[in-house]
Amino acid sequence: MANESRPAERNIGTVAMRWHGHSLELLDQRLLPTEEHWITSEGASGVAQCIRDMVVRGAPAIGISAAYGVALAARHAGGGDWKAEIRQAIRELAESRPTAVNLFWALQRMEKVFHECHSLDEAVKRLAAEAQSIHEEDLEANVAMADHALQFMNPEKPISVLTHCNTGALATGGYGTALGVIRRLHEKKLLRRVYADETRPWLQGSRLTAWELSRDGIPVTLNADGAAAAILASGKVKWIVVGADRITANGDVANKIGTYSLAVLARHHKVGFMVVAPSSTVDMSLASGRDIPIEERDGTEVHEIRGIPLAPPGVQVFNPVFDVTPASLIDAIVTEKGVIHNPNITGMRALFG
C-alpha cells in the first residue's frame, strides 16, 4: 500500500487484508483467536462471499474489500463484454450486506471510475489504483479521527473507557475507529484500561477486540455484555467509545446490537458516549435512524457457538445485527472532518452539507 510512512510512528495494528494485485487475501475473522487463517480471492464473487459470511467485517473493511473486489473483476474480465462483467460484479458485491453504508459508498466511487474507462486495460489499472486509494485514505482518516477525539476528550490524567464490538485494525484499513482512539490514548499514556464487551452473539469483543488489544500490549479487561451497567456504576469508566455502520442526517447511529443500551446506561451514569466513524459512514440521504435497513441473521448464531448448542431445539430467535442509537443520547460524533458535539441535523449539515 502506498504512503505507509505517514502513520509509521504509530502502531496501525494487525492487518485484516493483503492486496497482491491479482488477488486479495482476507484474514478469516470467524476463526480468531484460536487460528489465523487467510482466504485468497481472485475474483469479485469470492470477495462477496467473504463479506456475506463475515470472513471480513466492520463497515470500513467491508467497503475496502468490496473496492478490491471490483478491481479483481476488471483484472479477470474477458475480452468480450468486459463492461457487463464488471457491472455484474458491482451488483453482486452490493448485495452482500445491507446495512453498512461504507459498502455502497466504496462501490459508487469505484463505479464512477469504471464509467470513465474506455478500455479494459485502462479499467484494470485505474480500478486497482482507486481501491488502493480508498484503503490508504481510510487509514489516514483513522489517525485523524483519533487526534480529533483526544482533543475533544482532553483528559488530564489516564482514563478508562468501555467499548463494544470490534472497531480496530481488523475492522478497518488499519489503526481503527473507536479502537484507534483507544490506541491514541495508549500512545499518549492517557489510557488506564479498556473494558471490552464480549458482544454476543458473534463475540467480536472477546474473539477480536480482546485479541487485538492484548496482541498490541494495550491493557484490556473482557466483560460479559450484561456486566457493562455494573462497570459504569462503579465509576471506573469515563467514556464509552464505539464505531458505527451508518449515521443518518439527524445524527442517529446504527451500530452493533447492544450499542443503544450502552448509550442509555451512559446517560444514566453520566458517562460520555462517543461514536467514531469515517465520513463514508454518514448517509445524509436518510433523515433518521427509522430509515436504516436493519439486517437480521440466521438464528443459529444465537442457538449455538461453533456447533455447540446453547438453547432448546426449535426455539424462536430474534437476531438483529444492529440497533439504532438516537442522536439525543450521543455526546459526540467524530469523523476525520471533525467533531459534532451533541449531534443534531444542524450540526450534521454544517459538517456534511
Side-chain angles (χ1 to χ4, degrees):
M1 192 172 62
N3 299 320
E4 287 189 0
S5 61
R6 279 179 282 178
E9 72 277 8
R10 296 169 183 167
N11 175 15
I12 67 169
T14 302
V15 296
M17 63 191 75
R18 298 192 293 226
W19 172 245
H20 299 292
H22 56 83
S23 65
L24 176 66
E25 280 189 298
L26 294 170
L27 179 62
D28 191 344
Q29 298 186 34
R30 301 168 301 179
L31 302 180
L32 292 174
T34 56
E35 182 181 349
E36 294 182 42
H37 174 70
W38 291 82
I39 294 177
T40 301
S41 296
E42 295 187 349
S45 292
V47 175
Q49 190 66 44
C50 284
I51 294 172
R52 278 193 297 272
D53 293 345
M54 292 182 70
V55 169
V56 61
R57 25 70 50 209
I62 288 171
I64 296 165
S65 299
Y68 282 130
V70 177
L72 289 174
R75 184 175 181 85
H76 296 286
D81 195 350
W82 57 273
K83 289 188 175 181
E85 292 184 41
I86 296 174
R87 288 193 197 98
Q88 174 56 32
I90 292 172
R91 284 194 294 269
E92 184 177 4
L93 288 159
E95 293 168 358
S96 58
R97 293 291 296 273
T99 302
V101 72
N102 306 64
L103 169 67
F104 308 105
W105 171 86
L107 290 175
Q108 288 168 3
R109 187 163 154 179
M110 296 295 287
E111 192 168 22
K112 182 178 183 295
V113 172
F114 162 64
H115 286 313
E116 295 171 353
C117 296
H118 301 290
S119 69
L120 180 55
D121 285 344
E122 182 185 5
V124 169
K125 293 175 184 176
R126 290 192 60 188
L127 290 173
E130 188 69 8
Q132 288 178 289
S133 292
I134 289 172
H135 192 168
E136 173 66 20
E137 288 167 20
D138 182 76
L139 174 57
E140 294 295 326
N142 289 345
V143 174
M145 286 186 285
D147 289 336
H148 290 320
L150 258 69
Q151 289 174 9
F152 182 80
M153 288 175 162
N154 193 27
E156 297 178 355
K157 59 183 180 179
I159 61 172
S160 292
V161 301
L162 185 144
T163 193
H164 191 66
C165 199
N166 175 262
T167 58
L170 293 173
T172 64
Y175 205 66
T177 54
L179 281 197
V181 175
I182 290 166
R183 286 184 194 281
R184 197 74 182 109
L185 284 167
H186 181 66
E187 292 163 1
K188 291 284 191 179
K189 303 189 187 309
L190 289 170
L191 180 71
R192 179 176 288 115
R193 179 154 298 275
V194 183
Y195 291 91
D197 282 354
E198 62 178 351
T199 320
R200 285 281 290 145
W202 259 74
L203 300 171
Q204 293 99 322
S206 56
R207 294 189 306 102
L208 305 179
T209 297
W211 177 80
E212 187 174 336
L213 293 178
S214 297
R215 188 183 179 99
D216 292 338
I218 298 173
V220 58
T221 295
L222 178 67
N223 59 271
D225 293 357
I231 293 170
L232 297 185
S234 73
K236 294 177 180 177
V237 167
K238 181 73 172 176
W239 283 92
I240 294 175
V241 188
V242 300
D245 286 82
R246 191 175 297 210
I247 302 172
T248 59
N250 71 336
D252 290 349
V253 170
N255 193 48
K256 180 56 58 184
I257 190 73
T259 302
Y260 177 26
S261 58
L262 286 176
V264 174
L265 289 170
R267 186 55 52 95
H268 176 76
H269 292 289
K270 297 180 174 56
V271 170
F273 190 88
M274 176 179 286
V275 175
V276 186
S279 58
S280 57
T281 305
V282 175
D283 188 350
M284 294 297 286
S285 72
L286 299 186
S288 73
R290 291 188 299 271
D291 302 319
I292 299 175
I294 300 298
E295 177 185 0
E296 291 190 35
R297 292 179 65 86
D298 193 319
T300 304
E301 296 175 356
V302 178
H303 268 296
E304 61 184 50
I305 293 180
R306 294 186 176 177
I308 300 173
L310 300 176
V315 69
Q316 290 188 351
V317 170
F318 177 52
N319 187 26
V321 182
F322 309 98
D323 56 25
V324 176
T325 300
S328 59
L329 294 176
I330 299 169
D331 292 293
I333 293 176
V334 180
T335 75
E336 76 279 12
K337 293 185 176 182
V339 180
I340 304 173
H341 185 211
N342 296 328
N344 55 33
I345 192 165
T346 302
M348 292 293 292
R349 283 177 175 168
L351 199 58
F352 299 106

